[in-house]
Amino acid sequence: MEDQDILAKFADPAARNVAFNQLVRKYQTKVYWHIRKMVVDHDDADDLTQDVFVKVWKHLENFRQDASLYTWIYRIATNECLSFLASKRRKFFLPLNDVGAELAAKMEADPSVAGDDIELRLQKAILKLPDKQRLVFNLRYYDEMPYEQMAEVTGTSVGALKASYHHAAKKIEQFINDQ
């Protein structure tokens, strides 16, 4: 079902629940994996995915359609991830490197994270990146999101995103070469 159809159905109070269920079915998996790549832990990603859709439910009737529905939902998910990681850092008084190390340890202990040695090294390298660079790298590399759409999700200029992606790729390359 197209986003416009979902939004039209959502505008009808009698069909609102059905429309929202269709929206969740359409985007839940993408949102979950977007979040999971940032926070690594399944339970955290699951909780954050639910939080995202609660916010979507609360604010969907005010959605102005300046951007696509997909972009708007990704922006909410991105903000939830960044807030969660910042909160975790504050709560445990962890510097940036320790959060990356903690996430890497969770990733190694998770039996659902499969991959060969190169994939695991790539994941560890990505976890060493600052949160926003990791976000940009994941959106571009895994989601193959165009820079223009990334700019809508992150509220950052295309030029800054290209620079951030370039720096992230260089750091990842350096980490893998040093291993």
Side-chain angles (χ1 to χ4, degrees):
M1 178 170 262
E2 294 298 316
D3 289 350
Q4 296 300 17
D5 298 331
I6 292 172
L7 290 170
K9 199 180 270 191
F10 190 83
D12 176 8
R16 183 164 280 174
N17 288 340
V18 172
F20 186 71
N21 286 337
Q22 290 171 332
L23 181 141
V24 170
R25 266 187 260 127
K26 182 173 182 177
Y27 290 112
Q28 185 174 24
T29 302
K30 286 181 180 182
V31 168
Y32 169 82
W33 283 108
H34 171 63
I35 292 171
R36 177 84 187 257
K37 284 182 254 167
M38 289 296 292
V39 302
V40 176
D41 184 70
H42 164 72
D43 293 332
D44 291 340
D46 214 28
D47 291 345
L48 286 169
T49 300
Q50 287 181 352
D51 293 347
V52 166
F53 283 105
V54 166
K55 284 190 175 188
V56 168
W57 171 260
K58 287 180 180 177
H59 301 286
L60 190 58
E61 64 187 337
N62 299 323
F63 175 58
R64 296 186 314 261
Q65 300 184 32
D66 297 348
S68 72
L69 186 58
Y70 167 80
T71 302
W72 182 70
I73 293 170
Y74 255 57
R75 185 174 200 136
I76 293 170
T78 297
N79 290 338
E80 287 294 306
C81 286
L82 295 175
S83 295
F84 172 81
L85 291 170
S87 167
K88 189 173 196 166
R89 202 171 290 119
R90 278 191 308 273
K91 187 188 311 182
F92 297 109
F93 303 106
L94 294 171
L96 179 66
N97 293 344
D98 289 351
V99 172
E102 179 189 334
L103 293 175
K106 279 186 179 184
M107 181 185 68
E108 287 178 350
D110 189 343
S112 68
V113 176
D116 56 21
D117 183 50
I118 292 173
E119 179 64 25
L120 289 174
R121 284 194 291 168
L122 173 62
Q123 291 302 319
K124 286 182 188 177
I126 292 169
L127 290 174
K128 295 269 186 208
L129 297 172
D131 294 343
K132 290 191 179 177
Q133 275 187 359
R134 186 170 61 212
L135 169 70
V136 170
F137 186 83
N138 285 337
L139 289 173
R140 185 74 181 146
Y141 184 79
Y142 288 109
D143 297 337
E144 299 177 349
M145 189 178 282
Y147 285 110
E148 294 73 20
Q149 198 171 25
M150 287 169 54
E152 290 178 28
V153 168
T154 62
T156 307
S157 73
V158 170
L161 290 169
K162 286 180 179 180
S164 185
Y165 181 79
H166 174 75
H167 290 299
K170 288 293 182 194
K171 286 178 184 177
I172 289 168
E173 181 182 2
Q174 185 65 45
F175 178 86
I176 289 174
N177 288 337
D178 290 346
Q179 290 292 303

